[in-house]
Amino acid sequence: YINLLLLLLLFASCSNNKLLFKNIPENLSIAMPEAIITNGDILDINIGSLNRESTLIFSQNSNHNNWSQNLDTRKIDGYLVDSSGNIDMPIIGIIKASGFTCFEFSEFLKISLKEYVLNPSVRTKILNFRVSILGEVSKPGTFNVINQNIALTELISSAGGFTNNADPSKVLIIRNANNEIETRYVDLTSYEFINSEYYFLKQNDEVYVRPDNASLAFDFGILRKIGSIALIATTLLLIFR
């Protein structure tokens, strides 16, 4: 009976943490942020104009307009943002990229191009925007994000959802921002998480879903130890009764 009681108490405490976004209010709205270019990003920069010959020097390959091109090939041909936050472009030379959104950088690049190209149009995309998830999800792995925007809940859904052993009240996010690593635990059982800066993930974020207390108890043999203690206590009671 002692074992059963302790087991039920342990599972009851864990089950309270399985419900996501408790007491979420109606009409809650949040702005979807734009991706910010950071060091280590690979940029696909598409420059166009009425005079196509004037933009060829800036294109990394002749098939740059083929958006169905293999993603890995496009990464090889892309512009790498170095550790100083810059890229090196033909003719223009070193230009700052880190800290801009893709739209802001495109507008900034237009100004530098006007000396060489008449009425340029610029489209910028991050080619290596990806996030990873491991731990208590059905399909852990790394996911490429084509539209450069993904919420943590969408990533969990893409990974097949939580396993039965997951603890959504303490999910770890590891973020690499311009060569600085930061970590943060978030509680998906509280709707307040939706308003945090970690609801939408950034490129190269890593997510770890830890097991709940019941799973940890089994893994580390706590319940087995409790069972042994209970057995000894029961034996002593029978002897000295």
Side-chain angles (χ1 to χ4, degrees), residues 106-118:
S106 296
E107 294 298 305
F108 177 64
L109 184 56
K110 282 182 185 179
I111 299 173
S112 301
L113 286 169
K114 285 182 178 179
E115 184 178 349
Y116 312 101
V117 180
L118 181 63

Side-chain angles (χ1 to χ4, degrees), residues 118-133:
L118 181 63
N119 296 325
S121 65
V122 180
R123 180 175 59 183
T124 305
K125 190 177 183 66
I126 301 171
L127 290 175
N128 59 335
F129 193 119
R130 58 188 180 187
V131 290
S132 301
I133 186 167

